[in-house]
Amino acid sequence: MSAADGPVRFDPTDFGTIPSSRALRSWMRTTRRQHADRSFWEIFEDVYLVLFTLAMVGATGGNVVRHLNSNAATCTSWTCGQLTSWLPWIVIPLLLATTIRVLLAVGPVSASRATGFWLLATPVNRASLLRPAYRLVIASVTVIGVVAGAVIWALLGEPWFDVIEAAVLIGAVLVCAAAATVWAQQSTRRSKWALRVSDVLLAAAVVPAVFLAFRPGEDRFTNHIITSTFTGREPRYGLAFGEVGDAGGLTSGQVYLLLLCAAAVVVGAVLAFLASRMLDRLGRISVIAGGELLAGLAGAASSLDVSMLGDVIAGRHWRLKGRVRSRRGRGADGAAIVHREFRRILRWPRRIAVAFGLLVVPYAVHGAGFHVLVPIAAAIAGFIAVRPMLDGLRTACRSTGLVRALGWDLRELRVVMAVVPALFTIVWAACAYPAIGSATSCFAVAAAVISGTVRQASARPPSYAGPLVTSPMGAIPPGLFSQPARGFDLLVLCLAPVLFNLSSLWVLVIPTVVLMLMFAVRPKTD
């Protein structure tokens, strides 16, 4: 055809009938089976091991939860009733915010680059091609929501009927959030607004947690009634729930929750169905980006490198952002590096919002009556909040050329680049002080957070140069399994005097010695 004949138009009769997505998937399944290099029994052995492991973990965890439910059910004080009343306003916003952020980070609907190139670019219906991945996401969110809701409400000592209701309600609410993220994935503007909504939900969870922490409480380990840490008032006693009128009957609250569960299930099913009909509106670039992120996370998980997981997520964030506004630096020598680190942290303000939103953890644990666990909960939450701010230190410790270009010794560079995160840790620990309740314990928590995060950020990658160790999973590097423990070992060491209830002198001395030794030793690079 010459140019004078006009533009080329697609005619299905020239290429044959466009296959349906079901026929295309059936053909791909048949082709894969023809080229499979593993027998049925080899696959069955792996599946059996996975199912056996899940059964063992489920049985063990279920037994532990059942015993904790029986022990917590003995608490009939007014404090326990207040905890059950306020906990949904803490847990549900936290789960919603986490679900929205995680799903938007990976898609939620994703596909590999090969699928995006060979299948999504064809005239085949895109919604039908993406529907299996979408169903997997919805099923995963439902299972996670049901399990999380059941475990949390069981730990409160609630009757099993209430536990089932709460599990179904949380699962349905998370399904609604997952369907909303599919709608938000269709455009960048919607995704940004969805992330802002998750930030608001995270902040909303802080309010009831702080209010609960200010109430008079009871130590759930010793069952001793204590006055409020903040107000000094004695608690009152009362019934947490309405009494059952007759045997086998339901309270008005249980009936209301049952109706709410039914409505949430119906709304969740409708939204999930509507979202499945809109899958053809998803852009191929956003779908492939999620698949690449999952592939990168799988590679990082295979090396058991927790920091690499954050690097993969941060790399995708900056690739989508594209560019930022450059600003002139200030100061000289170490002051210049501190200023640049400060500007780098401010370029991702959502991390700061999430970090302060994690203050809900120590306040919620304090309000729940688990006062012994408040320091360790605050340390873990602070670790998660501060660790993303040390990406610059991690980059410098993994790049020998960058350290030479800066002209600093790596030990001195680690001290300088830890200044801004250390200041943020002090502010974060000061905000958590009312929940921790002790200045020395607050110092131990801050020291544990900064020492643990700096150690993990400056840790060298696993070395594959030495001899490998034989294991049932194959040959592995000797230091591979120590990767996830780096950072958390110092965190536990700094909190040991607090957990063992030692004197205030040891609570101050041990974290101080750990900090001094960590910053005095030069990190290894080879």
Side-chain angles (χ1 to χ4, degrees):
M1 179 181 293
S2 62
D5 296 333
V8 178
R9 298 184 181 276
F10 175 76
D11 189 358
T13 59
D14 297 337
F15 302 93
T17 305
I18 299 176
S20 63
S21 60
R22 179 177 299 178
L24 184 60
R25 289 198 302 268
S26 177
W27 174 81
M28 293 175 59
R29 191 181 304 112
T30 304
T31 304
R32 288 172 179 171
R33 289 175 180 175
Q34 292 175 354
H35 295 81
D37 56 354
R38 301 180 65 189
S39 63
F40 170 78
W41 293 108
E42 292 176 346
I43 299 176
F44 176 77
E45 182 180 357
D46 294 341
V47 174
Y48 170 76
L49 290 177
V50 172
L51 294 179
F52 181 78
T53 302
L54 292 178
M56 291 294 295
V57 173
T60 306
N63 189 33
V64 172
V65 171
R66 183 176 64 85
H67 282 288
L68 292 176
N69 177 266
S70 301
N71 294 334
T74 59
C75 180
T76 58
S77 65
W78 175 81
T79 303
C80 296
Q82 286 292 306
L83 174 62
T84 307
S85 301
W86 284 100
L87 191 65
W89 303 104
I90 303 174
V91 172
I92 294 180
L94 280 178
L95 292 177
L96 282 175
T98 304
T99 302
I100 293 174
R101 294 187 64 85
V102 172
L103 291 182
L104 285 179
V106 299
V109 182
S110 60
S112 63
R113 179 173 288 276
T115 301
F117 180 80
W118 293 106
L119 297 181
L120 299 183
T122 61
V124 180
N125 186 8
R126 181 176 298 179
S128 300
L129 292 175
L130 296 176
R131 196 161 288 131
Y134 169 74
R135 291 170 181 170
L136 179 62
V137 171
I138 294 297
S140 302
V141 170
T142 304
V143 172
I144 292 174
V146 169
V147 172
V151 170
I152 293 173
W153 258 256
L155 293 178
L156 292 176
E158 293 299 312
W160 289 110
F161 184 80
D162 293 347
V163 171
I164 295 175
E165 285 183 329
V168 173
L169 177 61
I170 291 180
V173 170
L174 294 188
V175 168
C176 295
T181 55
V182 175
W183 173 81
Q185 187 185 1
Q186 299 174 10
S187 65
T188 305
R189 182 179 179 86
R190 294 178 182 177
S191 299
K192 292 182 179 179
W193 277 104
L195 291 175
R196 293 171 184 172
V197 170
S198 69
D199 295 338
V200 173
L201 289 172
L202 190 61
V206 178
V207 178
V210 174
F211 180 83
L212 186 63
F214 273 77
R215 308 292 293 183
E218 173 183 295
D219 195 329
R220 298 177 72 90
F221 285 101
T222 62
N223 291 329
H224 291 161
I225 305 300
I226 60 173
T227 59
S228 173
T229 307
F230 314 97
T231 61
R233 295 179 298 177
E234 294 289 340
R236 297 174 296 173
Y237 292 94
L239 291 176
F241 304 98
E243 294 289 346
V244 179
D246 51 357
L250 299 178
T251 63
S252 59
Q254 290 175 334
V255 174
Y256 173 76
L257 185 58
L258 184 62
L259 296 177
L260 188 61
C261 288
V265 169
V266 172
V267 173
V270 171
L271 290 180
F273 175 76
L274 294 178
S276 67
R277 309 296 297 179
M278 297 188 299
L279 295 178
D280 55 343
R281 303 179 186 177
L282 297 178
R284 188 158 59 101
I285 297 178
S286 64
V287 173
I288 295 176
E292 292 179 344
L293 177 63
L294 290 177
L297 293 178
S302 63
S303 62
L304 299 180
D305 193 347
V306 181
S307 298
M308 190 179 295
L309 297 175
D311 292 345
V312 173
I313 297 176
R316 181 175 183 268
H317 168 79
W318 293 117
R319 283 196 301 271
L320 294 177
K321 192 175 184 63
R323 60 187 180 86
V324 295
R325 181 180 177 183
S326 61
R327 297 180 182 273
R328 184 180 298 274
R330 296 180 181 179
D333 297 332
I337 297 179
V338 171
H339 178 262
R340 297 314 304 174
E341 284 295 296
F342 180 74
R343 298 301 312 179
R344 182 186 60 80
I345 293 174
L346 291 182
R347 284 179 175 176
W348 201 338
R350 183 166 284 109
R351 280 184 168 180
I352 301 177
V354 173
F356 280 105
L358 287 173
L359 286 170
V360 67
V361 175
Y363 281 100
V365 174
H366 182 276
F370 301 100
H371 304 286
V372 179
L373 300 179
V374 172
I376 189 67
I380 295 176
F383 188 97
I384 300 174
V386 178
R387 174 58 190 86
M389 301 181 182
L390 287 161
D391 289 344
L393 176 60
R394 172 176 166 80
T395 303
C397 293
R398 295 293 178 97
S399 176
T400 306
L402 179 60
V403 176
R404 292 176 179 174
L406 292 175
W408 285 68
D409 182 73
L410 187 56
R411 180 181 62 84
E412 299 174 350
L413 188 62
R414 180 168 66 173
V415 175
V416 173
M417 300 188 76
V419 171
V420 178
L423 294 177
F424 179 83
T425 304
I426 294 174
V427 175
W428 195 93
C431 295
Y433 168 74
I436 299 174
S438 171
T440 55
S441 299
C442 191
F443 170 78
V445 168
V449 169
I450 191 60
S451 61
T453 52
V454 171
R455 169 169 165 76
Q456 188 181 91
S458 58
R460 59 178 177 175
S463 176
Y464 298 89
L468 302 180
V469 178
T470 304
S471 70
M473 297 178 293
I476 59 174
L480 185 62
F481 288 111
S482 64
Q483 285 288 116
R486 290 181 178 176
F488 294 100
D489 49 0
L490 294 186
L491 185 143
V492 174
L493 182 59
C494 291
L495 291 179
V498 180
L499 299 178
F500 287 108
N501 198 22
L502 300 181
S503 63
S504 300
L505 178 62
W506 290 108
V507 175
L508 293 175
V509 170
I510 293 180
T512 303
V513 172
V514 171
L515 281 175
M516 293 175 59
L517 292 178
M518 188 198 62
F519 284 108
V521 176
R522 187 181 189 277
K524 298 180 180 180
T525 57
D526 51 7

